[in-house]
Amino acid sequence: EPVDELVSCVEAKELLDECESIWKQMEECQSKLTLLGAEKLLESDAKHSLLMMRGKAVSAECNQWQNRSPEIISTNPDVLVALGKEELQKVKNDLEMVLSTVQSKNKKLTEDLKREQQWHDEQMQIVDVLSGIEEEMKNQFMQFSQKRAFQELRSEMLKLKTYKEELLKALGEFLEEHFPLPKEDGMAKKEGCSVHILNLILLVFQILINKLISTPHEPYLTIRDSFWPPYIELLLRSGIALRHPEDPSRIRLEAFHQ
């Protein structure tokens, strides 16, 4: 008897499922009829009529479910346990399927994360290499700039040195022409001519300064034969030295401090 009762319960459930399927088909047909009827209405009243018809359909379905009394499949505990096990087995299968899907997605996400991490590490390595290259290029640029600045400075120094030599040469030629050295044995000294001329002029100038400082009350200096006359004339013409008003053989330094 329990087996026959279980079979009858299964047949009853299949019949219930078939009824629900037929009921769904009827609802779909009713919805289509409702839409076909709504198409004939004016456009201004179409939405209102459609909502009214849907409301009536929902009310009818609600009343039907309220008037419907639940059917008891069986009162046998063994049948209920069997049906419960069957439902639990379905739920278990569905959950296992969901678990398998989630595990597959997790595995794929893990692989994607691993690839992204590897790509990130490669990019960081590239960034480190580029940073090193940039730093090296900066150092090379600084060294090149310093070397270039040093070369430019050296070139300027060479130009200044050449210009100085040209000025000294021009000054020597000027002094040799206008203020020649005293001759010894009929020949003028040529070696270090400009420097020697300047030293002689400065020697006379230094003697005049010492005379003015040591004996300010008697600053005049007697011109000796060792003083070359062109140098004395240079000091007199330039206003550095003055002749004695009564004795032209004596000179003194101009009192610039007074």
Side-chain angles (χ1 to χ4, degrees):
E1 290 182 1
V3 175
D4 295 337
E5 189 173 354
L6 179 61
V7 172
S8 61
C9 290
V10 173
E11 292 177 352
K13 184 178 180 182
E14 291 178 354
L15 181 61
L16 182 60
D17 293 338
E18 185 178 358
C19 291
E20 289 180 354
S21 176
I22 295 172
W23 178 254
K24 289 181 180 179
Q25 292 178 2
M26 290 177 63
E27 288 180 348
E28 292 177 357
C29 292
Q30 185 177 2
S31 300
K32 291 180 180 179
L33 291 174
T34 303
L35 293 174
L36 290 174
E39 290 178 356
K40 299 179 181 179
L41 298 176
L42 297 176
E43 185 177 357
S44 59
D45 299 333
K47 292 183 179 180
H48 178 70
S49 300
L50 181 61
L51 291 174
M52 291 294 294
M53 295 180 69
R54 286 183 178 178
K56 291 180 179 179
V58 171
S59 299
E61 185 177 358
C62 181
N63 293 330
Q64 184 178 2
W65 281 104
Q66 288 179 353
N67 296 328
R68 184 177 180 180
S69 59
E71 297 180 358
I72 299 175
I73 298 176
S74 176
T75 57
N76 191 340
D78 296 333
V79 175
L80 295 176
V81 170
L83 292 176
K85 288 182 179 180
E86 182 180 358
E87 292 295 330
L88 290 175
Q89 186 64 35
K90 290 181 180 179
V91 173
K92 179 184 177 183
N93 294 335
D94 295 338
L95 292 176
E96 288 178 351
M97 186 178 297
V98 172
L99 178 61
S100 177
T101 303
V102 171
Q103 289 177 347
S104 177
K105 289 183 178 180
N106 288 338
K107 184 178 180 180
K108 185 177 182 302
L109 290 175
T110 303
E111 293 176 354
D112 293 341
L113 179 60
K114 185 177 180 180
R115 286 195 299 269
E116 292 293 334
Q117 187 66 37
Q118 183 178 0
W119 178 84
H120 179 266
D121 294 340
E122 292 175 355
Q123 296 299 315
M124 291 301 296
Q125 292 177 0
I126 293 174
V127 169
D128 293 338
V129 173
L130 293 177
S131 299
I133 295 174
E134 181 184 6
E135 189 68 24
E136 184 178 358
M137 291 182 67
K138 285 182 178 179
N139 295 332
Q140 291 179 357
F141 177 76
M142 291 295 295
Q143 294 176 359
F144 175 76
S145 300
Q146 293 176 358
K147 185 177 180 181
R148 183 176 180 181
F150 176 75
Q151 291 177 351
E152 292 178 354
L153 182 61
R154 184 178 180 182
S155 177
E156 291 294 330
M157 290 178 63
L158 293 175
K159 290 180 181 178
L160 290 175
K161 185 177 181 180
T162 303
Y163 183 64
K164 176 185 175 182
E165 293 176 354
E166 292 177 355
L167 287 178
L168 290 175
K169 183 179 179 181
L171 179 61
E173 293 176 354
F174 177 79
L175 293 175
E176 287 177 5
E177 180 180 357
H178 297 283
F179 305 99
L181 288 170
K183 295 182 179 180
E184 295 181 1
D185 300 331
M187 297 295 292
K189 295 180 179 180
K190 294 294 183 180
E191 297 179 358
C193 178
S194 59
V195 177
H196 192 55
I197 291 171
L198 289 176
N199 288 334
L200 290 176
I201 296 174
L202 291 175
L203 177 60
V204 178
F205 186 67
Q206 184 67 36
I207 294 173
L208 291 172
I209 293 176
N210 294 335
K211 187 68 176 176
L212 179 63
I213 294 174
S214 60
T215 57
H217 59 283
E218 184 60 32
Y220 287 95
L221 174 68
T222 301
I223 300 175
R224 299 193 297 267
D225 294 338
S226 60
F227 296 158
W228 190 237
Y231 305 154
I232 302 301
E233 292 297 329
L234 174 63
L235 295 175
L236 293 172
R237 287 199 306 269
S238 61
I240 297 175
L242 299 174
R243 288 188 184 272
H244 193 281
E246 298 178 358
D247 187 1
S249 64
R250 299 175 67 192
I251 62 174
R252 59 162 290 176
L253 186 67
E254 175 66 38
F256 296 104
H257 61 286
Q258 293 181 357

